[in-house]
Short mmCIF file of all heavy atoms in Angstrom, two decimals:
data_model
loop_
_atom_site.label_atom_id
_atom_site.label_comp_id
_atom_site.label_asym_id
_atom_site.label_seq_id
_atom_site.Cartn_x
_atom_site.Cartn_y
_atom_site.Cartn_z
N PHE Y 1 0.86 -1.17 -0.04
CA PHE Y 1 -0.04 -0.02 -0.06
C PHE Y 1 0.94 1.30 -0.03
O PHE Y 1 1.83 1.32 0.80
CB PHE Y 1 -0.92 -0.02 1.30
CG PHE Y 1 -1.91 -1.16 1.25
CD1 PHE Y 1 -1.66 -2.29 1.87
CD2 PHE Y 1 -3.02 -0.92 0.57
CE1 PHE Y 1 -2.63 -3.31 1.85
CE2 PHE Y 1 -4.09 -2.02 0.55
CZ PHE Y 1 -3.79 -3.21 1.19
N LYS Y 2 0.62 2.14 -0.94
CA LYS Y 2 1.39 3.30 -1.04
C LYS Y 2 0.51 4.65 -1.09
O LYS Y 2 -0.51 4.62 -1.66
CB LYS Y 2 2.21 3.39 -2.25
CG LYS Y 2 3.14 2.05 -2.44
CD LYS Y 2 3.90 2.10 -3.67
CE LYS Y 2 4.93 0.81 -3.72
NZ LYS Y 2 5.71 0.92 -4.84
N LEU Y 3 1.04 5.77 -0.60
CA LEU Y 3 0.45 7.05 -0.81
C LEU Y 3 0.81 7.50 -2.27
O LEU Y 3 2.03 7.51 -2.54
CB LEU Y 3 0.84 8.06 0.11
CG LEU Y 3 0.29 7.93 1.60
CD1 LEU Y 3 0.94 8.97 2.56
CD2 LEU Y 3 -1.25 8.01 1.67
N THR Y 4 -0.17 7.92 -3.11
CA THR Y 4 0.21 8.40 -4.41
C THR Y 4 -0.71 9.53 -4.57
O THR Y 4 -1.69 9.82 -4.01
CB THR Y 4 -0.18 7.35 -5.45
OG1 THR Y 4 -1.56 7.09 -5.37
CG2 THR Y 4 0.66 5.96 -5.28
N THR Y 5 -0.31 10.30 -5.66
CA THR Y 5 -1.11 11.49 -5.95
C THR Y 5 -2.20 10.92 -6.97
O THR Y 5 -2.11 9.91 -7.45
CB THR Y 5 -0.21 12.53 -6.85
OG1 THR Y 5 0.41 11.96 -7.91
CG2 THR Y 5 0.74 13.20 -5.89
N LYS Y 6 -3.23 11.78 -6.99
CA LYS Y 6 -4.41 11.48 -7.87
C LYS Y 6 -4.03 11.85 -9.37
O LYS Y 6 -3.68 12.96 -9.71
CB LYS Y 6 -5.64 12.14 -7.40
CG LYS Y 6 -6.06 11.66 -6.13
CD LYS Y 6 -7.46 12.23 -5.74
CE LYS Y 6 -7.97 11.59 -4.43
NZ LYS Y 6 -9.24 12.13 -4.08
N SER Y 7 -4.36 10.81 -10.26
CA SER Y 7 -3.93 11.01 -11.63
C SER Y 7 -4.79 12.17 -12.27
O SER Y 7 -4.40 12.71 -13.29
CB SER Y 7 -4.20 9.66 -12.42
OG SER Y 7 -5.43 9.28 -12.22
N GLU Y 8 -6.08 12.45 -11.72
CA GLU Y 8 -6.86 13.47 -12.35
C GLU Y 8 -6.30 14.83 -12.05
O GLU Y 8 -6.70 15.76 -12.67
CB GLU Y 8 -8.29 13.28 -11.83
CG GLU Y 8 -8.45 13.26 -10.32
CD GLU Y 8 -8.55 12.00 -9.72
OE1 GLU Y 8 -7.88 10.94 -10.28
OE2 GLU Y 8 -9.09 11.80 -8.69
N HIS Y 9 -5.27 14.90 -11.16
CA HIS Y 9 -4.65 16.25 -10.93
C HIS Y 9 -3.30 16.44 -11.72
O HIS Y 9 -2.50 17.30 -11.46
CB HIS Y 9 -4.34 16.51 -9.37
CG HIS Y 9 -5.68 16.37 -8.65
ND1 HIS Y 9 -5.64 16.06 -7.31
CD2 HIS Y 9 -7.01 16.56 -8.98
CE1 HIS Y 9 -6.91 15.98 -6.79
NE2 HIS Y 9 -7.71 16.30 -7.86
N ARG Y 10 -3.02 15.49 -12.51
CA ARG Y 10 -1.73 15.29 -13.20
C ARG Y 10 -1.23 16.55 -13.90
O ARG Y 10 -0.16 17.08 -13.80
CB ARG Y 10 -1.70 14.24 -14.23
CG ARG Y 10 -0.46 14.03 -15.01
CD ARG Y 10 -0.42 12.93 -16.08
NE ARG Y 10 -0.52 11.77 -15.19
CZ ARG Y 10 -1.27 10.67 -15.59
NH1 ARG Y 10 -2.04 10.75 -16.63
NH2 ARG Y 10 -1.29 9.59 -14.80
N GLU Y 11 -2.16 17.30 -14.60
CA GLU Y 11 -1.86 18.51 -15.31
C GLU Y 11 -1.18 19.61 -14.38
O GLU Y 11 -0.32 20.51 -14.80
CB GLU Y 11 -2.96 19.13 -16.07
CG GLU Y 11 -4.12 19.66 -15.19
CD GLU Y 11 -5.29 20.26 -15.98
OE1 GLU Y 11 -5.25 21.38 -16.37
OE2 GLU Y 11 -6.31 19.55 -16.06
N PHE Y 12 -1.78 19.64 -13.10
CA PHE Y 12 -1.32 20.61 -12.21
C PHE Y 12 0.08 20.26 -11.75
O PHE Y 12 1.05 21.08 -11.53
CB PHE Y 12 -2.24 20.82 -11.03
CG PHE Y 12 -3.51 21.15 -11.44
CD1 PHE Y 12 -4.66 20.37 -11.47
CD2 PHE Y 12 -3.78 22.54 -11.76
CE1 PHE Y 12 -5.88 20.76 -12.00
CE2 PHE Y 12 -5.01 22.99 -12.22
CZ PHE Y 12 -6.11 22.13 -12.27
N TYR Y 13 0.46 18.99 -11.52
CA TYR Y 13 1.67 18.47 -11.01
C TYR Y 13 2.67 18.78 -12.18
O TYR Y 13 3.81 19.14 -11.85
CB TYR Y 13 1.67 17.01 -10.66
CG TYR Y 13 0.53 16.60 -9.72
CD1 TYR Y 13 -0.15 15.36 -9.78
CD2 TYR Y 13 0.33 17.43 -8.51
CE1 TYR Y 13 -1.12 15.14 -8.96
CE2 TYR Y 13 -0.65 17.12 -7.75
CZ TYR Y 13 -1.37 15.88 -7.84
OH TYR Y 13 -2.40 15.59 -6.84
N GLN Y 14 2.33 18.60 -13.33
CA GLN Y 14 3.14 18.83 -14.52
C GLN Y 14 3.57 20.28 -14.49
O GLN Y 14 4.72 20.59 -14.76
CB GLN Y 14 2.49 18.38 -15.73
CG GLN Y 14 3.46 18.20 -16.96
CD GLN Y 14 4.45 17.21 -16.73
OE1 GLN Y 14 4.21 16.11 -16.20
NE2 GLN Y 14 5.68 17.40 -17.20
N LYS Y 15 2.53 21.08 -14.31
CA LYS Y 15 2.79 22.64 -14.34
C LYS Y 15 3.83 22.97 -13.23
O LYS Y 15 4.76 23.83 -13.44
CB LYS Y 15 1.58 23.32 -14.07
CG LYS Y 15 0.72 23.49 -15.33
CD LYS Y 15 -0.55 24.33 -14.98
CE LYS Y 15 -1.53 24.34 -16.10
NZ LYS Y 15 -2.77 25.02 -15.76
N LEU Y 16 3.75 22.47 -12.04
CA LEU Y 16 4.63 22.64 -10.92
C LEU Y 16 6.03 22.22 -11.35
O LEU Y 16 7.01 22.88 -11.14
CB LEU Y 16 4.07 21.82 -9.75
CG LEU Y 16 4.91 21.89 -8.37
CD1 LEU Y 16 4.95 23.36 -8.01
CD2 LEU Y 16 4.53 20.97 -7.44
N ILE Y 17 6.18 21.02 -11.91
CA ILE Y 17 7.46 20.53 -12.29
C ILE Y 17 8.09 21.42 -13.34
O ILE Y 17 9.32 21.77 -13.40
CB ILE Y 17 7.43 19.01 -12.68
CG1 ILE Y 17 7.15 18.24 -11.50
CG2 ILE Y 17 8.78 18.61 -13.39
CD1 ILE Y 17 6.78 16.76 -11.88
N GLU Y 18 7.26 21.87 -14.27
CA GLU Y 18 7.93 22.72 -15.45
C GLU Y 18 8.05 24.05 -15.10
O GLU Y 18 8.64 24.87 -15.90
CB GLU Y 18 6.97 22.47 -16.67
CG GLU Y 18 6.96 21.07 -17.27
CD GLU Y 18 5.96 20.77 -18.24
OE1 GLU Y 18 5.08 21.68 -18.45
OE2 GLU Y 18 5.92 19.80 -18.87
N ASN Y 19 7.40 24.61 -13.98
CA ASN Y 19 7.42 26.02 -13.59
C ASN Y 19 9.04 26.45 -13.40
O ASN Y 19 9.63 25.86 -12.56
CB ASN Y 19 6.63 26.22 -12.38
CG ASN Y 19 6.52 27.67 -11.94
OD1 ASN Y 19 7.33 28.50 -12.33
ND2 ASN Y 19 5.51 27.89 -11.10
N PRO Y 20 9.42 27.54 -14.12
CA PRO Y 20 10.79 27.84 -13.91
C PRO Y 20 11.13 28.25 -12.43
O PRO Y 20 12.32 28.06 -11.97
CB PRO Y 20 11.06 29.18 -14.72
CG PRO Y 20 9.91 29.01 -15.80
CD PRO Y 20 8.77 28.22 -15.03
N GLN Y 21 10.09 28.87 -11.65
CA GLN Y 21 10.39 29.17 -10.26
C GLN Y 21 10.61 28.06 -9.40
O GLN Y 21 11.43 28.05 -8.42
CB GLN Y 21 9.17 29.96 -9.70
CG GLN Y 21 9.10 31.33 -10.30
CD GLN Y 21 7.75 31.96 -9.97
OE1 GLN Y 21 6.84 31.41 -9.67
NE2 GLN Y 21 7.84 33.33 -10.09
N THR Y 22 10.10 26.83 -9.67
CA THR Y 22 10.25 25.66 -8.97
C THR Y 22 11.17 24.75 -9.55
O THR Y 22 11.45 23.63 -9.10
CB THR Y 22 8.98 24.89 -8.74
OG1 THR Y 22 8.51 24.50 -9.96
CG2 THR Y 22 7.98 25.67 -7.90
N ASN Y 23 11.83 25.07 -10.70
CA ASN Y 23 12.69 24.30 -11.46
C ASN Y 23 14.26 24.45 -11.15
O ASN Y 23 14.97 24.05 -11.80
CB ASN Y 23 12.55 24.57 -12.97
CG ASN Y 23 12.67 23.15 -13.84
OD1 ASN Y 23 12.90 22.12 -13.19
ND2 ASN Y 23 12.82 23.32 -15.11
N THR Y 24 14.47 25.14 -10.01
CA THR Y 24 15.79 25.34 -9.69
C THR Y 24 16.33 24.13 -8.94
O THR Y 24 15.51 23.41 -8.15
CB THR Y 24 16.01 26.54 -8.71
OG1 THR Y 24 15.22 26.44 -7.56
CG2 THR Y 24 15.63 27.99 -9.42
N LEU Y 25 17.65 23.83 -8.91
CA LEU Y 25 18.11 22.61 -8.30
C LEU Y 25 18.92 23.05 -6.94
O LEU Y 25 19.63 23.91 -7.06
CB LEU Y 25 19.06 21.94 -9.33
CG LEU Y 25 18.49 21.42 -10.58
CD1 LEU Y 25 19.59 21.01 -11.45
CD2 LEU Y 25 17.47 20.42 -10.27
N SER Y 26 18.74 22.29 -5.97
CA SER Y 26 19.25 22.47 -4.73
C SER Y 26 20.86 22.00 -4.81
O SER Y 26 21.17 21.31 -5.81
CB SER Y 26 18.62 21.65 -3.70
OG SER Y 26 18.78 20.20 -3.84
#
């Protein structure tokens, strides 16, 4: 059993990953 994100929210997660403000690397 695993906690996972909901696939119906995928487009928002994709925007988050592709957003230049959140795309900086630690």
Side-chain angles (χ1 to χ4, degrees):
F1 293 96
K2 301 178 183 185
L3 287 177
T4 63
T5 56
K6 292 187 173 181
S7 58
E8 55 266 29
H9 303 157
R10 178 178 292 137
E11 70 179 276
F12 300 103
Y13 306 141
Q14 194 65 36
K15 285 180 188 177
L16 177 67
I17 291 170
E18 293 172 354
N19 183 343
Q21 293 175 332
T22 61
N23 212 10
T24 58
L25 297 173
S26 67

